[in-house]
Amino acid sequence: MDAQSQWTGLDAARLERITDHLERNYIGPQKIMGAQIAVARRGQVAYRKSFGSMDLERSKPMADDAIFRIYSMTKPITSVALMMLYEKGYFQLNDPVSRYVPSWKDHRVYVSGEDEAMVTEPARRPISFRDVLSHSAGLTYGGGLPGVGIQHPVDKLYRALKVKTFGGEDTMQGFLDKLGQVPLVYHPGERWMYSLATDVCGALVEVISGKPLGQYLQEEIFGPLGMKDTSFSVAPEKVDRFCANYQRGPDKKLKLIDDPATSAFARPAGFESGGGGLTGTTDDYMRFCEMLRRGGELDGARILGPRTLEMMHMNHLAGGQDLSTIALGSFSETANDGVGFGLGFASTKGQVETGSLGAGDYYWGGAASTIFWVDPKEELSVVFMTQLMPSGTFNFRGQLKSLIYSAIVD
């Protein structure tokens, strides 16, 4: 075993099975256009490779510094940003959001019916900061998830009010005020549903800090951590590093759905979506992951205190339940069995229930099939980037977990 393998406890030859797996099953048959993966243990990168193409139409091989749409991998970053304000005493987790958003004082909850016949009742309690951080507020995505049409009568009201994040033109305050008019799908804290809640967290960062979300993230997280290529839009001088985005068609072939040269991400963002608006690189996101793994600090930059971060990846679902018993809706960036949810992260509660290794890890993913996880017990950070929508097409997380954890030999 070489010196690096001895230090990381990862068998280099076993890690190389990742290469064979991706090339044989995905890159060769062109199920994805390309990918990047980085695996670090104890702060040292043990595996980092680029595969395939970043732009099939232009025959561009995947660049090591390629920029990806990370979509919902924005959510953990935004959650960390809001918890930085928690650490400064601006709110407690059980405080009502209406302290900062008066239009949220009188939320009502859906009971039955739709349109003019819709019946609602007063919320049993106000929406709290914990609720929006843990997707337990009663909000929805307004029917705007990949491959998901209108699933609930309340979603029609989102659309009627033009509640939009990416591509929206509302101010953060206007966005929050619109959500104050829409009934909740369930009473706050009682269920879990993937929703616009993290966009609300981003709006709260702006309202509380008095700074635009992008500016706050740059000053408080990206700058201190050296995440030099992460932002809500790709700068003109970096567009040649921006990947194309694809969708798997009915014929199982890749279809271009967002050309980097004409992408909306190549223009300044109208609405800075804390739930899904960021672009960035594998190396940048690995720096974010390593900050998390080290308890909130990296290379002398302290972002959060270790006890705050530990609380964030505890399971905050009501009664300690997992998502299989409490979740509503047909879409998420995680499976439900044996999975808990904290303040911005899902977590593996039990290996038996999930059928995967890594109990105690925490993680999330993005709509274009990007994933990451951090495992404090194993001192492990993993980032996987590609650009394929929707994210549930292939189980990259499960496959990579099998390959990576089986390479740990110490």
Side-chain angles (χ1 to χ4, degrees):
M1 186 179 288
D2 61 28
Q4 176 175 296
S5 297
Q6 288 181 329
W7 171 250
T8 64
L10 286 162
D11 186 301
R14 291 174 76 84
L15 275 181
E16 268 302 314
R17 295 187 297 190
I18 299 170
T19 305
D20 174 68
H21 177 76
L22 290 176
E23 289 181 342
R24 176 167 42 86
N25 293 302
Y26 294 103
I27 304 300
Q30 212 165 87
K31 291 181 179 178
I32 57 176
M33 91 300 185
Q36 253 174 27
I37 181 166
V39 180
R41 192 160 188 242
R42 299 171 181 150
Q44 183 170 329
V45 175
Y47 181 97
R48 191 197 188 285
K49 288 199 175 180
S50 299
F51 298 88
S53 173
M54 59 186 287
D55 188 329
L56 293 171
E57 282 65 33
R58 295 177 177 86
S59 301
K60 292 174 67 173
M62 180 64 71
D64 286 344
D65 62 353
I67 296 173
F68 300 83
R69 301 156 192 78
I70 67 170
Y71 287 119
S72 287
M73 276 169 50
T74 303
K75 288 180 168 70
I77 294 172
T78 300
S79 300
V80 164
L82 186 56
M83 289 303 289
M84 293 172 77
L85 295 169
Y86 163 86
E87 287 194 327
K88 293 179 179 179
Y90 282 100
F91 64 89
Q92 296 297 296
L93 287 180
N94 293 332
D95 285 348
V97 170
S98 58
R99 274 190 56 198
Y100 288 98
V101 189
S103 60
W104 280 36
K105 284 184 177 177
D106 299 307
H107 261 121
R108 297 186 67 82
V109 178
Y110 174 84
V111 176
S112 62
E114 59 183 297
D115 301 327
E116 292 78 11
M118 183 179 291
V119 177
T120 64
E121 63 184 11
R124 293 186 185 120
R125 66 162 174 78
I127 294 172
S128 69
F129 280 82
R130 186 198 307 270
D131 295 331
V132 292
L133 280 158
S134 63
H135 289 287
S136 299
L139 304 172
T140 86
Y141 246 117
L145 288 167
V148 179
I150 294 176
Q151 299 295 308
H152 194 282
V154 167
D155 291 335
K156 292 184 179 180
L157 300 180
Y158 279 73
R159 293 187 173 186
L161 285 171
K162 297 181 179 178
V163 178
K164 289 184 68 177
T165 54
F166 187 72
E169 296 180 358
D170 286 327
T171 62
M172 292 292 190
Q173 189 64 56
F175 166 72
L176 291 171
D177 289 344
K178 282 184 177 180
L179 287 178
Q181 301 175 50
V182 182
L184 306 175
V185 173
Y186 55 86
H187 287 277
E190 296 187 5
R191 303 300 294 265
W192 185 95
M193 188 174 191
Y194 200 39
S195 68
L196 294 171
T198 317
D199 283 290
V200 170
C201 293
L204 287 169
V205 168
E206 187 162 309
V207 169
I208 295 170
S209 72
K211 296 178 180 179
L213 178 60
Q215 179 184 340
Y216 183 92
L217 295 179
Q218 178 59 41
E219 292 176 359
E220 302 293 333
I221 298 178
F222 304 152
L225 291 181
M227 297 170 66
K228 61 185 185 298
D229 291 314
T230 304
S231 68
F232 284 111
S233 60
V234 180
E237 66 273 16
K238 297 181 181 180
V239 169
D240 66 329
R241 295 165 48 200
F242 190 31
C243 292
N245 196 14
Y246 296 88
Q247 188 174 52
R248 185 171 162 91
D251 59 359
K252 298 186 177 181
K253 292 183 179 179
L254 294 177
K255 175 186 177 184
L256 179 69
I257 56 172
D258 192 29
D259 188 309
T262 57
S263 173
F265 283 103
R267 303 187 294 274
F271 182 95
E272 294 179 333
S273 169
L278 286 173
T279 60
T281 62
T282 297
D283 289 346
D284 275 8
Y285 213 91
M286 179 56 82
R287 291 192 65 77
F288 178 72
C289 290
E290 278 293 287
M291 176 274 294
L292 298 175
R293 185 191 65 80
R294 289 167 52 114
E297 177 273 338
L298 182 66
D299 295 343
R302 169 66 63 186
I303 305 300
L304 284 175
R307 285 160 183 79
T308 303
L309 192 53
E310 183 180 4
M311 181 173 66
M312 288 182 71
H313 57 83
M314 292 175 178
N315 183 24
H316 286 252
L317 299 178
Q321 298 176 78
D322 70 8
L323 290 177
S324 69
T325 59
I326 199 170
L328 296 173
S330 59
F331 183 89
S332 173
E333 291 293 348
T334 180
N336 288 348
D337 291 335
V339 175
F341 201 88
L343 307 179
F345 308 95
S347 59
T348 302
K349 291 183 64 181
Q351 295 179 144
V352 172
E353 295 84 355
T354 61
S356 68
L357 296 164
D361 68 353
Y362 55 102
Y363 62 89
W364 204 238
S369 301
T370 59
I371 62 173
F372 83 94
W373 76 86
V374 174
D375 186 330
K377 178 184 174 184
E378 295 290 357
E379 302 176 274
L380 184 70
S381 299
V382 179
V383 177
F384 173 79
M385 297 287 201
T386 188
Q387 300 281 257
L388 176 73
M389 298 181 78
S391 58
T393 308
F394 303 112
N395 184 16
F396 290 118
R397 183 181 304 281
Q399 294 164 23
L400 289 171
K401 274 193 155 191
S402 298
L403 290 159
I404 292 166
Y405 281 94
S406 62
I408 299 175
V409 292
D410 63 357

